[in-house]
Amino acid sequence: MSPREDFVAIFDSGVGGLTVFKEVMQKLPHENLLYFGDMARVPYGGRTPKTILRYAMECISFLMKRRLKCLIVACHTVSAHALEELKEKFDLPIIGVVEPMVQELETKKEIDRLLILGTRATIASNIYPRLILEKNPELKIFSLATPLFVPLVEEGMADHPATELIIKEYLRPLEKEKMGHVLLGCTHYPLMKEALAKVLGKEVKFLDAAPLVATKTYQLLASLNLLSKKKQPSYSFLVTDHREKFCSLASRFLGKSIALEDVEEVSLDS
Ligand code: DGL
């Protein structure tokens, strides 16, 4: 493997991966970051595995034309269905979101009841229960596909009263179950924490892959001796559509305003 220089790339189907971008920005403050959101085709979560793989291959083939140190697949749906194929195809260190979360859970022996939320494709893959139960067969796991959370977040409606009703409806089959921990199995879902806590109770604890992935990226770059010392790193954003919408959502996700000039609309055929 011959890692290229310059950017740490972060790929997601839309804006959700910005929750990972934010953590990476904090943990690796000297790195140039390049975000790619496939805004033209989000959401991926209702697509079949072969389409998810094709979309991810197309986006990453495009990204490979830039100078990359490593790639973070900041999408549980893609990590669940395509990570191994992506690692085989591209000559670059690739970090997904599933493995760091599974490793973290190995250390959290206090968890006895875990609710996993994700897109339809992530839940259908069964990747989390399979990998978690291998290490901790005693854990009681509940999995729920909650596909409407993605458009609600993309529309900036996480705190809308309709969202609370939708959460209650999704959780109806589990209403008698007490959940201690919720695994946010989609990078959009950290934006749903407050709304979820309203329904599940304040005591509920959330497991978010973003800080774990940032730490893993730091460790990877340190081990390859590729950490940057740049004083003023650059942050750029590529989208396949909806440049303005992305720009305003990104400013909200990152808690800092993003200039429209920093968001470039790209065509995957170019
Ligand atoms: N953010 C993506 C994930 O983590 C999914 C959103 C989508 O359905 O495209 O799974």
Side-chain angles (χ1 to χ4, degrees):
M1 204 166 343
S2 55
R4 296 146 193 234
E5 293 165 357
D6 232 358
F7 289 99
V8 171
I10 300 173
F11 161 62
D12 181 44
S13 55
V15 296
L18 290 167
T19 56
V20 175
F21 186 99
K22 189 174 179 185
E23 291 289 336
V24 173
M25 209 166 63
Q26 281 161 10
K27 207 149 278 168
L28 292 123
H30 307 295
E31 300 301 325
N32 291 334
L33 303 183
L34 176 65
Y35 186 88
F36 188 103
D38 192 5
M39 295 291 285
R41 303 187 291 193
V42 67
Y44 284 12
R47 319 253 180 211
T48 56
K50 70 173 191 310
T51 302
I52 295 165
L53 175 62
R54 176 165 62 84
Y55 284 0
M57 287 280 182
E58 289 168 2
C59 295
I60 296 165
S61 299
F62 180 90
L63 267 172
M64 292 296 284
K65 295 177 198 149
R66 311 280 167 127
R67 292 162 63 90
L68 308 183
K69 282 183 181 182
C70 69
L71 170 76
I72 300 172
V73 173
C75 177
H76 294 254
T77 305
V78 174
S79 297
H81 286 283
L83 200 71
E84 291 318 310
E85 288 87 341
L86 297 174
K87 283 183 174 173
E88 266 166 40
K89 163 115 179 147
F90 298 106
D91 180 21
L92 170 92
I94 300 183
I95 296 175
V97 280
V98 171
E99 197 194 344
M101 180 67 100
V102 171
Q103 283 169 351
E104 173 74 2
L105 276 161
E106 278 173 41
T107 68
K108 294 211 169 289
K109 295 290 174 226
E110 73 278 12
I111 302 180
D112 56 353
R113 298 165 74 78
L114 177 68
L115 172 61
I116 300 173
L117 302 178
T119 64
R120 275 196 205 293
T122 300
I123 297 301
S125 76
N126 203 37
I127 192 161
Y128 275 116
R130 185 167 55 77
L131 296 177
I132 295 167
L133 290 172
E134 263 174 28
K135 301 284 177 204
N136 189 351
E138 305 300 315
L139 195 62
K140 179 105 176 98
I141 295 183
F142 305 86
S143 299
L144 212 54
T146 49
L148 288 173
F149 289 2
V150 172
L152 288 169
V153 168
E154 298 266 337
E155 290 303 320
M157 286 179 61
D159 53 4
H160 192 280
T163 300
E164 193 174 328
L165 293 176
I166 290 167
I167 295 173
K168 286 190 175 143
E169 189 54 35
Y170 275 141
L171 289 169
R172 197 185 297 280
L174 300 176
E175 68 191 347
K176 300 230 161 47
E177 306 287 349
K178 182 94 188 115
M179 298 300 167
H181 289 78
V182 176
L183 187 162
L184 300 166
C186 171
T187 49
H188 285 69
Y189 294 2
L191 275 291
M192 295 288 291
K193 270 191 207 168
E194 277 178 35
L196 282 163
K198 257 196 205 163
V199 177
L200 287 164
K202 287 196 299 294
E203 334 66 61
V204 74
K205 294 200 177 59
F206 294 103
L207 300 160
D208 176 5
L212 310 172
V213 171
T215 302
K216 190 155 178 157
T217 308
Y218 180 91
Q219 289 164 346
L220 171 80
L221 294 185
S223 72
L224 296 172
N225 213 10
L226 281 178
L227 282 169
S228 163
K229 294 189 180 63
K230 270 188 204 75
K231 289 258 170 345
Q232 289 203 305
S234 74
Y235 298 136
S236 24
F237 304 86
L238 306 178
V239 291
T240 47
D241 203 354
H242 293 296
R243 195 168 153 252
E244 281 83 7
K245 179 178 168 188
F246 179 88
C247 189
S248 75
L249 280 169
S251 302
R252 201 151 47 76
F253 268 55
L254 300 177
K256 70 188 216 107
S257 66
I258 298 299
L260 192 56
E261 310 84 79
D262 294 334
V263 185
E264 186 189 338
E265 193 172 309
V266 297
S267 157
L268 292 177
D269 319 315
S270 64

